[in-house]
Amino acid sequence: MGMTITEKILAKASGKSKVVPGETIWLSVDVLMTHDVCGPPTIDIWKREFGSSAKIWDKDKLVIFPDHYIFTANSHAIANVAKLREFASEYDLPNYYGPGTDRYKGVCHMALAEEGYNVPGTVLFGTDSHTCTSGAFGMFSTGVGNSDAAFILGTGKIWEKVPESMLFWFDGEIPPYLTAKDMILQIIGDITTDGATYRAMEFAGPGVMSLPMSERMTLTNMAIEAGGMNGIIEADELTEAYVKARTSKPYEIFRSDADAVYQSRYTYDLSKMEPMVAKPHSPDNKDTVRNVQGTRLTKCYIGSCTGGKLEDFIFAARILFGQQVQVPTFIVPASTWVDQQLDVETVNGVTLRDIFKKAGCQIGESSCAACLGGPSDTFGRAQDEEVIISTTNRNFPGRMGSKKSAVYLASALTVAASAVKGVITDPRDVM
Amino acid sequence: MEKVIQGKAFVLGDKIDTDQIIPAEHLVYSLSHPEEKKKYGHYAFSGVPLPESGLPMGHIPFIKGENHLSDYSIIIGGGNFGCGSSREHAPFALQVAGVKAVIAESYARIFYRNCVDGGFLIPYEGYEKLNDKIKTGDELEIDLAANSVKNLTTGQEYLLKPLGSVVSIIEAGDLFEYARKTGMLQG
């Protein structure tokens, strides 16, 4: 019996020739990533448990991207970043990307890709549920809490239960009115927020492999929204080119065997799919944009690790070119690199930044920003009974700030089209 | 590990995500500072919309006034309890508020791991839906040896799913104690 790509990577990382779903294994971790919300408590637990002789198992494998609460006057948030800075200085950490310096990168999941930490065939753990994003590079990646991260920090090891795999196969090529966000919202709606709990979500087929890396990352990013342990896409020439341009680390490409066993298989035809939304208050509350079009909005938001990548802004700029937004519209680049590209990338000869400014959008600095609400002075945060359409990944009650607000999740195309009309709008109506 | 956990039930619905357990704006506080960490208890379940807080009637705050300790120490949840973010602040907040155990239909993976590996509380799964049978304020008694919960208010008793392979970590206290016990860590 064959193995899936996830099983093969976990077998390698646990020093076994074969693993089977349900088996508990101990993994050797290739990269541990943390940030300003979970880094400080992780360090505290590590010091408490390993004592004065606490040693970081491998400094080269620890990566710290402060990204959550960066542009805030909240004194506790500032103290957390200061704690990370002191820790990095005390232990002379090579992979600390401090805010306020030219090393600051923005949202960790985007930065992991840009800085060459996503390497096919490896195992990456992070203190953030969206760590599953890195699976777009043919690797195993998943989120853990502070105690697990502290254990890894001291030992380089962690236990995991080998997941069953689910296969999501996409036929056809993606039409211009659809994005990876529509694909993943469709899946989450179909299988619900716990449809993949403790399972691997493997995305495959010509419709997936024709996507650029940042769109593949949108698929794997939201595996956790269906409860998935990890999302994964096999590496191909595009992946290799992306990785080689950023790191000289060795990589290994794994592929699922033809006779690999899947818990379930889903097949989608991209030519038959519709622009999708997740209605308030759950990512699985799916509907077509058509069915909710005309819903009045108070705010539009394009940002986050799942919806603030360069492709998302190109999608938005195609619609916002020469238009005026009818409701306050917030643009938050996922990374400082994406932010720089707003001045480089053009649509109809105009830079993305100019298109957004002329359309009346507000552009914020790279960070997690209002995707998860954050301190009260966070850029774009939901206030009172707002109705928001957003390219972010969660819309549980209060996720973007106010408990009274209602959030629709959608693609950058749908959000931009809705910004132009002031009501939820199908992108096909303005393209 | 305690053999019996007794306490009042606080009942919630399905898909109680980590933002409802501890809203993200509060994640700035220290988890190790003895005074500051009490804020996590104070804000526990403050993200749950009031009509769904303390079922079946709702409108029952989990924490009264300025307290950080709750009157309720056993949580009865529905499906996919703890979904959403990886924040260990969630089970930590419940522990600070005095919660000893959660009984839900199912859990999100990271929340479940955090409960066990951090030694914060015991995450039990029921064989049946219990959040429509137990009421907020009912006095419960969990028997850990028998894997059962008795509703002392109504006399009803329900079997719970055994804790499975993680029971050795729960019995040890947390992942670090387990690793010391099994020789993986020294000291």
Side-chain angles (χ1 to χ4, degrees):
Chain A
M1 203 66 86
M3 287 196 284
T4 66
I5 176 174
T6 297
E7 290 157 10
K8 286 182 182 181
I9 295 170
L10 293 181
K12 183 195 174 199
S14 59
K16 292 169 175 255
S17 58
K18 189 172 177 60
V19 295
V20 291
E23 181 181 356
T24 299
I25 50 173
W26 283 87
L27 297 168
S28 294
V29 177
D30 293 299
V31 170
L32 173 67
M33 187 280 300
T34 190
H35 51 50
D36 54 306
V37 169
C38 296
T42 295
I43 294 163
D44 284 345
I45 295 170
W46 171 75
K47 284 186 174 162
R48 183 189 77 205
E49 295 295 336
F50 292 93
S52 52
S53 62
K55 278 202 178 65
I56 297 170
W57 102 101
D58 189 335
K59 285 200 282 188
D60 290 331
K61 294 180 175 177
L62 173 64
V63 186
I64 305 179
F65 292 113
D67 61 355
H68 276 58
Y69 304 151
I70 306 304
F71 304 103
T72 174
N74 183 292
S75 62
H76 297 283
I78 291 167
N80 281 332
V81 175
K83 185 163 181 163
L84 290 180
R85 188 172 59 239
E86 285 154 20
F87 178 70
S89 162
E90 182 183 352
Y91 290 90
D92 196 21
L93 298 182
N95 307 321
Y96 174 68
Y97 296 87
T101 74
D102 58 7
R103 282 174 63 78
Y104 176 65
K105 297 295 171 198
V107 185
C108 56
H109 310 298
M110 193 68 228
L112 280 169
E114 290 171 358
E115 296 302 307
Y117 295 107
N118 288 349
V119 176
T122 60
V123 167
L124 185 153
F125 280 78
T127 60
D128 190 289
S129 62
H130 293 110
T131 303
C132 50
T133 311
S134 296
F137 290 78
M139 59 195 286
F140 179 85
S141 63
T142 191
V144 288
N146 310 329
S147 293
D148 283 342
F151 195 89
I152 296 170
L153 191 57
T155 66
K157 305 258 190 248
I158 195 65
W159 69 272
E160 194 52 272
K161 203 161 92 177
V162 178
E164 296 177 305
S165 290
M166 302 170 83
L167 183 65
F168 300 89
W169 183 274
F170 285 85
D171 282 317
E173 263 202 43
I174 196 156
Y177 50 86
L178 290 184
T179 75
K181 180 54 69 68
D182 299 295
M183 295 160 69
I184 191 67
L185 288 177
Q186 177 76 48
I187 290 173
I188 296 164
D190 288 346
I191 69 172
T192 78
T193 57
D194 61 358
T197 299
Y198 267 100
R199 296 195 184 121
M201 295 175 76
E202 186 175 327
F203 306 97
V208 171
M209 303 319 287
S210 62
L211 296 174
M213 289 313 296
S214 69
E215 280 283 272
R216 295 183 193 181
M217 289 165 72
T218 298
L219 293 179
T220 51
N221 174 281
M222 290 184 66
I224 183 67
E225 263 47 81
M229 179 186 292
N230 66 313
I232 196 160
I233 299 170
E234 286 181 8
D236 63 1
E237 301 78 18
L238 195 65
T239 322
E240 284 188 80
Y242 188 104
V243 171
K244 278 184 188 162
R246 288 161 179 83
T247 180
S248 55
K249 287 185 201 122
Y251 60 85
E252 190 174 354
I253 293 180
F254 290 93
R255 299 184 201 289
S256 293
D257 292 324
D259 60 345
V261 179
Y262 290 94
Q263 184 270 338
S264 53
R265 293 168 191 257
Y266 294 78
T267 303
Y268 295 91
D269 179 350
L270 281 168
S271 69
K272 296 199 173 81
M273 290 177 65
E274 290 269 309
M276 301 297 293
V277 291
K279 296 182 287 188
H281 296 281
S282 180
D284 64 358
N285 194 11
K286 74 162 181 204
D287 212 333
T288 61
V289 176
R290 279 274 178 255
N291 281 343
V292 294
Q293 64 187 6
T295 304
R296 293 233 159 262
L297 298 166
T298 61
K299 186 182 278 179
C300 296
Y301 188 96
I302 306 176
S304 84
C305 53
T306 184
K309 301 188 287 311
L310 183 56
E311 252 74 21
D312 297 300
F313 294 119
I314 295 172
F315 287 136
R318 284 185 192 145
I319 287 178
L320 291 173
F321 180 85
Q323 301 285 338
Q324 283 295 309
V325 299
Q326 300 303 311
V327 286
T329 298
F330 294 80
I331 301 273
V332 186
S335 69
T336 52
W337 180 81
V338 173
D339 193 9
Q340 289 157 18
Q341 294 308 302
L342 296 185
D343 295 313
V344 176
E345 198 71 37
T346 60
V347 169
N348 302 331
V350 183
T351 67
L352 302 187
R353 193 181 305 278
D354 282 345
I355 291 171
F356 296 147
K357 277 186 176 169
K358 281 178 190 156
C361 302
Q362 300 175 55
I363 305 176
E365 293 175 279
S366 305
S367 78
C368 297
C371 174
L372 77 164
S376 56
D377 57 352
T378 301
F379 182 77
R381 193 177 192 274
Q383 311 291 337
D384 300 324
E385 295 177 355
E386 285 206 276
V387 181
I388 302 171
I389 192 161
S390 172
T391 64
T392 51
N393 41 34
R394 279 190 191 131
N395 61 345
F396 293 118
R399 167 73 177 178
M400 290 187 76
S402 165
K403 260 194 283 185
K404 296 181 208 153
S405 63
V407 177
Y408 290 78
L409 305 178
S411 76
L413 287 173
T414 301
V415 173
S418 304
V420 167
K421 298 289 183 189
V423 295
I424 295 181
T425 301
D426 190 303
R428 286 169 292 189
D429 295 344
V430 295
M431 286 173 92
Chain B
M1 192 163 84
E2 295 169 71
K3 295 264 188 293
V4 169
I5 295 171
Q6 195 178 330
K8 279 191 170 56
F10 192 77
V11 184
L12 294 162
D14 289 328
K15 287 196 270 197
I16 296 297
D17 79 297
T18 51
D19 275 291
Q20 295 182 68
I21 299 172
I22 182 77
E25 65 184 296
H26 303 307
L27 304 181
V28 293
Y29 306 120
S30 166
L31 288 82
S32 43
H33 187 279
E35 277 307 306
E36 202 171 307
K37 76 177 194 184
K38 288 180 183 170
K39 287 184 185 286
Y40 285 102
H42 177 66
Y43 290 115
F45 287 132
S46 65
V48 178
L50 209 50
E52 284 117 64
S53 180
L55 298 176
M57 302 302 283
H59 299 278
I60 302 171
F62 179 64
I63 297 284
K64 282 187 196 145
E66 295 304 307
N67 292 343
H68 69 274
L69 276 171
S70 176
D71 295 339
Y72 309 96
S73 58
I74 298 173
I75 307 302
I76 306 295
N80 208 12
F81 192 91
C83 58
S85 101
S86 67
R87 66 189 71 155
E88 193 164 297
H89 311 62
F92 178 82
L94 299 186
Q95 185 196 45
V96 174
V99 172
K100 303 283 186 205
V102 178
I103 302 173
E105 277 178 87
S106 64
Y107 293 90
R109 165 184 163 269
I110 309 177
F111 179 85
Y112 185 85
R113 277 188 83 106
N114 288 345
C115 290
V116 171
D117 284 355
F120 299 110
L121 50 89
I122 299 176
Y124 260 119
E125 285 183 1
Y127 282 103
E128 57 187 312
K129 192 174 171 62
L130 292 178
N131 62 346
D132 58 356
K133 299 178 180 70
I134 294 171
K135 293 182 168 66
T136 295
D138 284 359
E139 196 71 29
L140 304 182
E141 190 178 88
I142 299 174
D143 183 334
L144 279 93
N147 291 312
S148 66
V149 58
K150 188 169 187 184
N151 189 335
L152 303 175
T153 306
T154 65
Q156 293 284 73
E157 196 166 351
Y158 310 95
L159 281 179
L160 304 172
K161 289 183 187 169
L163 294 164
S165 58
V166 298
V167 75
S168 44
I169 300 175
I170 293 173
E171 280 174 356
D174 61 29
L175 180 60
F176 298 96
E177 290 304 324
Y178 170 81
R180 285 186 195 102
K181 229 170 128 178
T182 55
M184 195 182 301
L185 289 183
Q186 305 305 314

